[in-house]
Amino acid sequence: MHVDAKLRFDNFVVGSANRLAVAAARAVADAPGAVYNPLFMYSASGLGKTHLMSAIGNQVAQRQPGLTVALVTLDDFVEELHDAVADGDTEPFKQRYLQVGLLLIDDMQFLTGHRETQTELLRIFNALQADGRQIVMSSDRPPSDIADVDERLLTRLSGGLIVDMGTPDYETRMAILNAKCEERGVRFRAGVIEELGQLEFANVRELQGALNRLIAYQTLGGQSVEADAVRGILGDLAEQRPRSDVLRASGEFQNFLTEITVAVSQHVEQWRTRLNEAIAYWSGEGYRTAALERMLRDDSPPASLETVLREFEARVARLRDLERQILRLDAVLAGHDAVHDPERIAEVEALLERALRASAPPPGPSAAFTRAGFEVSSSNQLAVRAADDIVSVPGTRYNPLFVHGPSGVGKTHLLNAIGNGLVTALGGVGNVACVPAQLFVDELIAALQEGTVDRWRSRYRAAAALLLDDVQFVAGKERTQEELFHVFNALYADGKQIVFASDRPPRELTGLEERLRSRFEGGLVVQMQSPDRSLRERLYAKYFTDLGVQPTPQMLDYLSQRPAASVRELIGTANRIVASAEVKSVPVTLGFIRAELDPDETGPVRAAVAETAKDVFFLDHEKVVWEWPDPSARLIEELR
């Protein structure tokens, strides 16, 4: 996991609920290792812990470029440790972390049950603190509430500063909403943002999800949002969100921090000293420095030492990027000697190509479901417009997109159409994973049985986009949700598009973990409804034509007036009518359709149909003789 350059102190909104945490984070970023070591921040999901940790990392990296910054989730730390133990050599693992100047660890709550990890963390913490290195951690609960933690490690976690972050108050919500609108260049009518700000949300992701819905309604719906329509547009998002009866902000929180000035002495060094320092630094990072060492043997300095050092650093950056990609696909190949040699980049690129070939990608979208073949009406137009929007700019606007609605309204068609659009938009670069959630679960179970979870996980993390259908099936499955949580974070951090489809909105999915629900709601949640009359008429026209029947306007008008819960129901009705007409060898007319669909109201019509068909099949009170297209197929059904 890398520090996200977009998450900085200057775009983090400070409020009364997070004031202390921000002050502590700034102090640590200004003087790593000098104050609050370790710093432990905790809060519920979606309140900004990861943002603050990345802000610390970004400021330290900017002000002290020689200091190594590492941001890692506890899950990744555990995975690295297990790989090292499996390889029978944990020393490189330990040395990597002992070289870190600022260590940031997210999701510390997952320490429970990992005794070996706790022991290794304790050793690393002791070494880093003894050397004045800074440690920052985050969790969804305070250290004392993390079950089954070694008492010695618990003492270390509690030995610095522990701060919590609460839910945003009215003023903070307004500041966040205004900042997001400014960032996205969106303007609402007077009172709209204030109305949204009055609604209390459990976390910032929910607040952003509500704002996304308003933006989508205004942008995609083509009409301005009115203040009195906000709650109606938000629908389920506004339910049980009472108005906040809070005092207006006094503005004090903008003045509570004082900046700590750090004086950094500048030192002009001789070229050999500069080279020696670069060699020592990159060797400590685990990279071969033969190219720099050869320069030391020269009697004169290179024409431009700065250019040499920049080029070396660029090669290392390229190696790191390649290593990250290979690690997602094959942990064994990621340990190859060439991965840490800047003079062997071509060889490492070949390793990546080999890993990509060996890793079968997840299933992609079905080519049968196209955007051109998807009928649009008022019952689904918001979802369709959002889909078109994300295909045009993947991963930037509505990410994730969560589409929900009853079975058979076209969610699967739209999901696959989005997938096909993304394949085209990405120019065939990278695999677009379009998978039913049940298959996602079944694949994980098979990987657990075969001991290939790392490879299974790598397939999805390497995808260019993830589209998961019927995501309601992951609810109640703890391991699947844990894996989906980490895959989601990895793809989202890389700016890759994520789309979910479900028969219910996130808040109605019983058994769905809060950390996943908040991420689902952090993008745009839209509903697809049962087909309206206009859509029913168009779909009936299409299905009858596909079946070789040319429907009349009167037939379509009659059929479209009949309610239908889903598109599947329309298809079934059309198939039933045409099949029955073929069996009885009569034409499909309005009268025939009424006789088939409303037999109790069309006795005379049914009699007329029977009269029309009397010379092609025999009907009496005792038996019915059915003649099928195949002359040899004849069925006599006794009625007695």
Side-chain angles (χ1 to χ4, degrees):
M1 183 176 179
H2 296 276
V3 175
D4 190 338
K6 299 189 295 293
L7 304 179
R8 309 178 305 276
F9 283 117
D10 61 10
N11 60 11
F12 186 89
V13 178
V14 183
S16 59
N18 58 30
R19 181 179 304 175
L20 180 59
V22 175
R26 281 188 176 275
V28 165
D30 288 338
V35 293
Y36 311 139
N37 195 15
L39 172 62
F40 193 104
M41 301 181 291
Y42 70 93
S43 75
S45 179
L47 291 176
K49 302 186 299 294
T50 303
H51 189 142
L52 271 189
M53 294 184 72
S54 291
I56 294 171
N58 281 317
Q59 182 164 311
V60 170
Q62 180 182 2
R63 295 185 178 181
Q64 302 185 45
L67 196 69
T68 303
V69 176
L71 172 60
V72 63
T73 64
L74 188 73
D75 180 72
D76 289 338
F77 184 90
V78 171
E79 188 176 329
E80 289 179 36
L81 176 59
H82 287 177
D83 289 342
V85 171
D87 293 340
D89 187 6
T90 60
E91 194 59 32
F93 168 82
K94 296 176 184 176
Q95 289 304 316
R96 176 191 166 196
Y97 283 99
L98 292 178
Q99 299 297 325
V100 172
L102 169 61
L103 177 59
L104 305 118
I105 307 181
D106 203 2
D107 293 328
M108 288 292 288
Q109 67 270 16
F110 296 125
L111 271 174
T112 301
H114 294 292
R115 279 289 176 176
E116 183 180 5
T117 301
Q118 294 178 30
T119 302
E120 201 58 53
L121 269 178
L122 182 62
R123 293 183 187 138
I124 292 173
F125 283 7
N126 286 339
L128 293 181
Q129 286 183 297
D131 202 24
R133 317 285 183 102
Q134 179 69 50
I135 303 167
V136 181
M137 295 163 284
S138 72
S139 172
D140 65 0
R141 67 203 73 174
S144 58
D145 289 352
I146 303 176
D148 191 30
V149 177
D150 189 298
E151 187 63 33
R152 297 169 301 164
L153 180 57
L154 189 60
T155 302
R156 297 297 186 283
L157 300 181
S158 307
L161 176 65
I162 301 174
V163 290
D164 70 327
M165 300 170 64
T167 56
D169 54 20
Y170 172 80
E171 293 79 10
T172 308
R173 294 196 296 271
M174 287 299 298
I176 291 171
L177 291 170
N178 287 328
K180 290 294 182 184
C181 287
E182 183 177 346
E183 177 185 308
R184 298 178 63 172
V186 177
R187 301 177 72 89
F188 288 103
R189 289 183 181 273
V192 171
I193 292 300
E194 289 75 8
E195 183 69 18
L196 178 56
Q198 291 283 0
L199 298 175
E200 293 182 347
F201 290 89
N203 56 55
V204 178
R205 288 198 187 97
E206 286 189 3
L207 180 65
Q208 184 173 325
L211 177 62
N212 280 340
R213 181 172 291 188
L214 293 184
I215 292 174
Y217 183 89
Q218 179 164 290
T219 304
L220 304 178
Q223 54 185 323
S224 297
V225 175
E226 300 291 344
D228 58 3
V230 168
R231 290 172 179 266
I233 294 170
L234 293 181
D236 58 316
L237 293 183
E239 290 178 4
Q240 299 180 346
R241 303 287 183 194
R243 288 182 177 270
S244 300
D245 187 16
V246 297
L247 297 175
R248 299 298 179 183
S250 64
E252 294 176 357
F253 73 92
Q254 293 296 341
N255 305 315
F256 79 95
L257 288 177
T258 57
E259 296 293 338
I260 301 173
T261 305
V262 178
V264 180
S265 58
Q266 299 298 323
H267 186 61
V268 180
E269 302 159 337
Q270 299 297 326
W271 70 276
R272 289 187 185 277
T273 304
R274 293 288 307 282
L275 273 178
N276 276 317
E277 287 182 348
I279 291 170
Y281 174 78
W282 291 117
S283 296
E285 289 288 294
Y287 293 93
R288 298 181 185 275
T289 56
L292 300 179
E293 292 167 14
R294 286 195 296 270
M295 292 183 184
L296 280 178
R297 295 194 287 269
D298 295 339
D299 294 330
S300 57
S304 174
L305 180 59
E306 293 299 328
T307 299
V308 168
L309 295 179
R310 280 199 302 270
E311 290 177 350
F312 188 88
E313 184 176 356
R315 288 197 294 272
V316 170
R318 173 61 176 158
L319 281 178
R320 283 175 168 166
D321 181 58
L322 291 169
E323 180 184 15
R324 184 175 68 254
Q325 295 182 62
I326 295 172
L327 187 60
R328 290 177 176 177
L329 300 170
D330 193 323
V332 176
L333 284 181
H336 196 283
D337 287 344
V339 172
H340 291 87
D341 190 341
E343 295 185 284
R344 301 169 69 183
I345 287 180
E347 191 174 341
V348 180
E349 289 174 337
L351 288 175
L352 174 59
E353 186 176 345
R354 171 182 163 190
L356 287 170
R357 286 197 304 268
S359 178
S366 169
F369 295 108
T370 64
R371 171 64 181 85
F374 190 89
E375 293 287 344
V376 184
S377 76
S378 59
S379 60
N380 60 29
Q381 65 179 357
L382 184 59
V384 174
R385 290 182 182 179
D388 291 342
D389 216 20
I390 63 174
V391 168
S392 64
V393 281
T396 59
R397 291 187 182 170
Y398 308 121
N399 199 18
L401 173 64
F402 192 104
V403 180
H404 68 92
S407 178
V409 296
K411 301 187 301 296
T412 298
H413 187 145
L414 184 60
L415 195 77
N416 280 269
I418 293 173
N420 287 314
L422 290 174
V423 170
T424 302
L426 296 171
V429 178
N431 177 67
V432 173
C434 188
V435 186
Q438 191 58 57
L439 177 60
F440 187 85
V441 175
D442 292 343
E443 285 183 348
L444 174 58
I445 293 172
L448 289 169
Q449 293 173 335
E450 298 166 5
T452 58
V453 174
D454 288 343
R455 180 163 293 182
W456 174 87
R457 185 184 300 133
S458 297
R459 293 168 66 222
Y460 284 97
R461 292 189 178 186
L466 173 63
L467 297 87
L468 204 59
D469 198 8
D470 291 325
V471 73
Q472 69 269 13
F473 291 123
V474 307
K477 300 177 177 66
E478 294 181 6
R479 180 58 187 271
T480 301
Q481 293 188 62
E482 180 179 347
E483 292 294 341
L484 180 57
F485 172 76
H486 293 298
V487 167
F488 180 103
N489 286 346
L491 296 179
Y492 187 84
D494 287 343
K496 297 176 179 178
Q497 183 65 51
I498 306 168
V499 185
F500 299 106
S502 170
D503 62 355
R504 284 156 285 169
R507 65 181 61 255
E508 293 181 13
L509 294 178
T510 305
L512 184 69
E513 294 179 3
E514 177 62 24
R515 55 179 176 165
L516 273 180
R517 187 189 67 79
S518 68
R519 280 162 174 76
F520 290 171
E521 294 182 341
L524 176 63
V525 179
V526 293
Q527 182 178 13
M528 293 177 63
Q529 299 174 332
S530 298
D532 56 26
R533 181 173 178 179
S534 171
L535 182 58
R536 293 197 296 270
E537 183 171 340
R538 278 181 284 145
L539 290 176
Y540 272 126
K542 178 179 184 300
Y543 298 144
F544 276 110
T545 301
D546 290 344
L547 292 170
V549 175
Q550 190 60 46
T552 65
Q554 292 78 12
M555 291 162 57
L556 295 177
D557 182 67
Y558 170 75
L559 288 166
S560 66
Q561 291 184 56
R562 299 175 60 85
S566 68
V567 176
R568 291 197 190 100
E569 184 177 330
L570 301 180
I571 297 174
T573 299
N575 285 335
R576 168 186 161 191
I577 290 170
V578 174
S580 180
E582 288 179 350
V583 167
K584 298 173 182 178
S585 298
V586 297
V588 176
T589 63
L590 176 59
F592 180 80
I593 292 174
R594 294 183 61 192
E596 287 295 314
L597 300 184
D598 297 305
D600 295 336
E601 301 176 8
T602 55
V605 175
R606 180 169 293 277
V609 170
E611 180 66 23
T612 302
K614 66 182 180 180
D615 57 341
V616 293
F617 69 98
F618 178 78
L619 174 66
D620 64 17
H621 296 296
E622 297 184 343
K623 65 182 67 175
V624 177
V625 182
W626 301 84
E627 297 230 8
W628 299 87
D630 182 353
S632 64
R634 183 178 178 87
L635 172 66
I636 300 178
E637 181 182 0
E638 294 288 343
L639 299 182
R640 289 193 295 263

